[in-house]
Amino acid sequence: MDKRIAIVTGGVAGIGRAITLALAEEGYLVVACDVNAERGQALAAERPGQVAFQRCNVAEESDVQRVVRETYATYERIDALVNNAGIIRRRTSEEIKTADWDAVFAVNVRGAFLFCKHVADVMKRQRRGKIVNVSSIAGKLGDITSAPGYGPSKAALDALTKTFAREMAPYGVIVNGVAPHAIATEMSAEWSEEKRKSIVEAIPLKRLGKPEEVAAVVRFLLSPGADFITGEIIDVNGGFLMD
Ligand SMILES: NC(=O)c1ccc[n+]([C@@H]2O[C@H](COP(=O)([O-])OP(=O)(O)OC[C@H]3O[C@@H](n4cnc5c(N)ncnc54)[C@H](O)[C@@H]3O)[C@@H](O)[C@H]2O)c1
């Protein structure tokens, strides 16, 4: 098959949907994986031949193995993986239930690990492939929106990105991350108006980011122009953190 194949997790809403559409526009056949089957099927129906949908909970290894196995069996290649699926549980450390803290790690870290592990197997054999993990500014700063599992999970994801980047480099497989902040999606729609205002006020560019602006950076990291970048986590934050 001539078409390049990308797997995008959480690929049917918010940032993930924007990534799916950007890669489809780039000429990829995108396998969008998500727990939301209704949205997934609607997106695949909107983009026949460009987007295929797989129902998948990234925290379940059997789901991840099935997606990777079926994708490879169907298309005989996997060129790109974007680990975008992520959840947040907004509670103070005092209030958060241990099960909720665990759930955040299960999706944000274990999910990305499982997809990296099983896709890397294919990419190692191909001796080529690119992975992008969608992290967050909270991985660098600790969480700033009262979600005590979220920041630590994204810090772990950043360490996972660097670990896989080193491990996969000898096989020609490139692994990077993006660290967005304050992007207008359903996740950020949970903020109160007051909180949204104070977040925007602290951003030098004085606005929220758009999902398409994260997708553009992912698209760049998957392009040949980024062939000498690996283990990097690129900020997409309107200048809020300049490191
Ligand atoms: N929105 C922001 O401001 C922001 C900032 C920094 C980082 N991020 C990160 O960007 C990514 C996307 O965020 P978003 O704002 O688009 O979120 P969103 O909630 O709008 O969309 C997330 C998508 O992931 C899917 N999903 C959730 N759990 C899943 C699971 N277990 N398996 C498969 N799919 C699952 C959801 O169904 C949904 O389609 C996340 O990793 C998030 O942490 C977002």
Side-chain angles (χ1 to χ4, degrees), residues 61-94:
E61 188 161 21
S62 55
D63 278 13
V64 175
Q65 284 176 303
R66 172 181 45 78
V67 169
V68 175
R69 192 178 54 243
E70 287 181 11
T71 302
Y72 191 69
T74 309
Y75 307 109
E76 296 176 336
R77 60 192 287 177
I78 301 175
D79 300 274
L81 163 68
V82 183
N83 281 308
N84 163 80
I87 60 169
I88 192 165
R89 294 286 179 265
R90 291 195 173 92
R91 299 275 184 283
T92 63
S93 301
E94 211 180 340

Side-chain angles (χ1 to χ4, degrees), residues 10 12-15 34-36 56-58 84-87 107 134-136 150 154 180 182-183 185-188:
V12 312
I15 294 170
D34 208 290
V35 286
N36 191 329
C56 168
N57 176 355
V58 298
N84 163 80
I87 60 169
V107 177
V134 180
S135 182
S136 165
Y150 185 75
K154 294 298 190 178
I183 309 300
T185 66
E186 283 166 34
M187 189 181 272
S188 51

Side-chain angles (χ1 to χ4, degrees), residues 124-141:
K124 267 164 92 171
R125 271 186 271 130
Q126 294 176 162
R127 299 197 84 80
R128 135 190 94 70
K130 289 191 176 175
I131 298 174
V132 178
N133 293 326
V134 180
S135 182
S136 165
I137 197 169
K140 295 184 181 184
L141 293 184

Side-chain angles (χ1 to χ4, degrees), residues 154-220:
K154 294 298 190 178
L157 180 61
D158 291 349
L160 191 78
T161 297
K162 293 172 190 172
T163 302
F164 267 93
R166 285 206 186 84
E167 200 180 317
M168 291 300 132
Y171 303 95
V173 177
I174 284 173
V175 187
N176 288 294
V178 289
H181 170 55
I183 309 300
T185 66
E186 283 166 34
M187 189 181 272
S188 51
E190 288 170 14
W191 297 333
S192 67
E193 188 49 28
E194 193 190 357
K195 190 178 190 92
R196 199 189 67 82
K197 271 195 190 142
S198 76
I199 286 174
V200 167
E201 193 48 44
I203 295 174
L205 291 178
K206 300 287 179 228
R207 64 172 176 87
L208 297 183
K210 300 176 194 147
E212 295 74 21
E213 291 170 321
V214 181
V217 179
V218 172
R219 188 170 172 172
F220 164 67

